[in-house]
Amino acid sequence: MNRIERVGLVTRVDEEGATELAMRLYDHLMGAGVKVIPESDFARRKALQGGKSLSNMGDVDLIVTIGGDGTVLKTCMSLPNPETPILAINMGRRGYLTEVDPEDAIPAIDKCLRGECFIEEHSKISIFVNGDYVIDALNDALIAPAIPSKMLTFEIYQEYQSIIRTRADALIVATPTGSTAHSLSAGGPIVDTSLNSFLLTFICPLDPIGSIVVSAEKELDIKVPSPAIKTVIIADGRYERGLKPSSNISIKPSRHKAAFVRFQKPFFIKNLPNIISRGKREGI
């Protein structure tokens, strides 16, 4: 990593333990001579000067998040410089995307300041509707009916070649990183994050179809020929957009990567034992 002089600090503000830890990190970084930019909600809550929204944190060298995977996803989606390194501290439930627990937060910060870490890049997807760019996602895009009781017909193509046509309650298009999230809960496989691939997982398909892993070197085109059913696309569980009838959805590899601070093991190796244990507990 380059020399760290400016750090953005993002935390859950609905949990007292998270904001208390954020204040300790704020004081520690300021004491180390680092300029700290608190996220605006956190700054208002603690009456700190210089607060900025995530969308205005384009000039920081590092982002520290305190929360769970949702906090990380929100941060990845909102940063003006998508490849700003993120050190994620787990104050959530599973925290697959996070790197350290709260008790290790200050030592982790100090390691970053000394350069004793490495950056791991994760691929993202870019979502287009009728040729217009919509948003990037780190985990997945969910295409679903606005009314949950309805089923949709999905026609999926790569380079004008049909992959599959089927009916299902919804479709998840996940990155390898996202294979550990919603897709896994829907019965999808765990995919090594080093693979350049898209993962297609159908939710409650009419036919007995498992997940399909395809190359991400060719963009996906998805048609939903169900004009009478209102359809939505949801990115990373945070961004939602309604689709007009017979819209064409394209999924492409993003030209941006998400960058995470790591200290020892890469994401896939570190999390695989926990994911397997989760699968045994939940019968996945």
Side-chain angles (χ1 to χ4, degrees):
M1 284 182 61
N2 296 327
R3 179 178 173 83
I4 297 173
E5 298 179 349
R6 297 170 63 84
V7 173
L9 189 55
V10 181
T11 182
R12 290 182 58 170
V13 294
D14 60 344
E15 185 175 309
E16 186 175 353
T19 55
E20 288 178 354
L21 176 59
M23 279 305 305
R24 292 200 299 273
L25 294 182
Y26 179 89
D27 292 337
H28 182 77
L29 284 163
M30 293 289 282
V34 177
K35 173 69 174 177
V36 184
I37 296 88
E39 193 270 333
S40 52
D41 289 342
F42 170 54
R44 282 192 295 270
R45 170 108 13 151
K46 295 297 183 179
L48 301 174
Q49 299 297 315
K52 290 185 178 181
S53 65
L54 274 167
S55 60
N56 287 316
M57 288 191 186
D59 57 350
V60 298
D61 305 307
L62 174 71
I63 291 282
V64 177
T65 66
I66 304 169
D69 290 341
T71 305
V72 176
L73 292 172
K74 178 185 78 171
T75 301
C76 287
M77 189 169 283
S78 303
L79 282 175
N81 178 5
E83 296 177 5
T84 303
I86 297 171
L87 172 62
I89 299 164
N90 185 30
M91 292 289 288
R93 289 184 290 275
R94 294 198 173 99
Y96 288 148
L97 296 173
T98 61
E99 180 64 9
V100 297
D101 292 326
E103 60 269 22
D104 298 319
I106 287 179
I109 289 287
D110 290 340
K111 286 182 180 179
C112 287
L113 296 179
R114 295 194 298 266
E116 298 173 2
C117 58
F118 66 95
I119 300 300
E120 181 181 59
E121 293 184 336
H122 286 231
S123 61
K124 302 168 77 173
I125 54 175
S126 291
I127 302 167
F128 295 78
V129 175
N130 297 328
D132 295 328
Y133 171 76
V134 175
I135 201 164
D136 277 9
L138 173 61
N139 268 357
D140 52 49
L142 171 69
I143 304 167
I147 302 173
S149 60
K150 300 293 185 180
M151 294 187 80
L152 295 175
T153 298
F154 294 97
E155 297 178 353
I156 304 175
Y157 302 83
Q158 271 195 318
E159 288 193 341
Y160 307 105
Q161 297 293 316
S162 175
I163 295 177
I164 191 171
R165 186 181 194 276
T166 191
R167 287 176 60 79
D169 284 356
L171 168 65
I172 303 166
V173 182
T175 65
T177 302
S179 73
T180 64
H182 193 184
S183 176
L184 180 64
S185 297
I190 302 164
V191 180
D192 190 328
T193 49
S194 67
L195 297 179
N196 185 25
S197 59
F198 297 131
L199 175 58
L200 309 176
T201 301
F202 297 94
I203 297 178
C204 297
L206 192 61
D207 300 312
I209 301 167
S211 297
I212 303 171
V213 181
V214 299
S215 171
E217 293 181 2
K218 304 172 185 177
E219 73 177 73
L220 284 172
D221 288 303
I222 303 166
K223 300 182 186 299
V224 186
S226 305
I229 302 175
K230 291 183 178 180
T231 306
V232 297
I233 186 165
I234 301 171
D236 281 347
R238 307 199 61 85
Y239 173 90
E240 179 176 332
R241 171 172 171 162
L243 300 177
K244 294 181 179 179
S246 302
S247 293
N248 184 72
I249 303 150
S250 297
I251 307 291
K252 305 178 184 180
S254 172
R255 60 190 180 90
H256 298 294
K257 304 282 188 180
F260 292 99
V261 173
R262 303 294 186 217
F263 297 106
Q264 291 181 334
K265 297 179 180 179
F267 169 86
F268 183 74
I269 296 173
K270 178 172 74 77
N271 283 296
L272 189 56
N274 294 332
I275 296 167
I276 292 172
S277 297
R278 172 192 162 194
K280 290 179 178 178
R281 288 195 309 269
E282 300 179 7
I284 298 174

